[in-house]
Amino acid sequence: MKPARSWAALLSLACCAGTADAEPKRLVAPPSPTAAATTAPQRSALTHLGPGDRLGDLLDHPALAGFARLLLPRSDVDVDREVRLGDFGSLLPYHQHVNARDVIAGLNRLIDDAGAGRRVFIDIYAPDEKARDPTKADTGLFFLRGRPGAPFAVIAPGGGFSYVATVHEGLPYGLAINRHGFNAFVLRYRVGQGSTAATEDLAAALSAIFRHAAELQVVTEGYSLWGSSAGARMAASIGSHGAARFGGDPLPKPAAVVMAYTGHSDTSADEPPTFVVVGAHDRIAPPAAMQRRVRALEQVSVMVAYHEVPGLGHGFGLGTGTAAQGWIDDAVRFWERVPSQRPPRSPR
């Protein structure tokens, strides 16, 4: 693995022209790592985390051994192990309304599932592929189970291709989708290499799910792709051009694409139904940019739903406690209404 670098030294990657879907609201590095970390008591594999716990508690949690560092925005940088989980938003400079309860709920779901012996992290590349390209080592899928035999959603969080906001735009989305009975996978993709490498990881993830669908107890018909900001570019690109275009298997296109706040404008002649949500005050992915793509889709008779949320800017995630709260449920209902490859309605 590459040696870790400081968070501050990598923040400039976020502003690379043409690759990021965000400009940081603030570029404040976390405090420098402490010289001597506080020794924490031994935790059991079933112990829940709380907002007062620290990054060190997350990284050392026995239930998350082997992949805990992939829950961080970047796994190749130094972070202060004393930062409280309730302050996780300080590590996500492109994002706002990072809700501590949502963050903790997602982490504790992984702990519960892993503690019960369920597989919660899935590699998307074989060991020989990682050996040939070590940058693929820090990739994979977090698996949040819904109803066995139900369709699945793959979620690509944002982060300007500089980091991955798994705990804000990944795990919380997955939990909300689970409540409708559907399975959810949250993608950890390569960062610092732009959109192409990240979208190749999404294509590889889809291919892995399709190959192991029976083992994972998911239905491949009627699957959906979800993305926020940079992640929405990835989801829309697969929706437009298919996984094979980005090195994946020749798979059917998704039944629906859910895009949150992105300036992505590319379209194809064969677009899946698309759900769009954006904040009215988003200066990074302005509503006007998303409206142009919506109009382009409507002109070729694509099923589209457009939601503009008053009073919000970029990177609001679930939008808990804001006017956006509940948009995930609207998006799931849109997915359920898709006329072709319609997923079975979830149990209520």
Side-chain angles (χ1 to χ4, degrees), residues 204-228:
L206 273 174
S207 300
I209 295 168
F210 267 73
R211 291 173 197 156
H212 300 283
E215 173 189 347
L216 297 170
Q217 295 185 292
V218 300
V219 169
T220 57
E221 182 181 2
Y223 76 93
S224 61
L225 293 182
W226 299 57
S228 299

Side-chain angles (χ1 to χ4, degrees), residues 306-334:
Y306 175 78
H307 292 248
E308 186 173 316
V309 185
L312 289 186
H314 194 78
F316 52 77
L318 286 183
T320 300
T322 75
Q325 184 168 330
W327 77 262
I328 291 273
D329 299 316
D330 292 337
V332 171
R333 287 189 283 268
F334 174 87

Side-chain angles (χ1 to χ4, degrees), residues 259-262 276-280 282 285-287 290 306-309 313 316:
M259 303 173 63
Y261 38 81
T262 180
V276 175
V277 63
V278 64
D282 195 326
M290 301 201 78
Y306 175 78
H307 292 248
E308 186 173 316
V309 185
F316 52 77

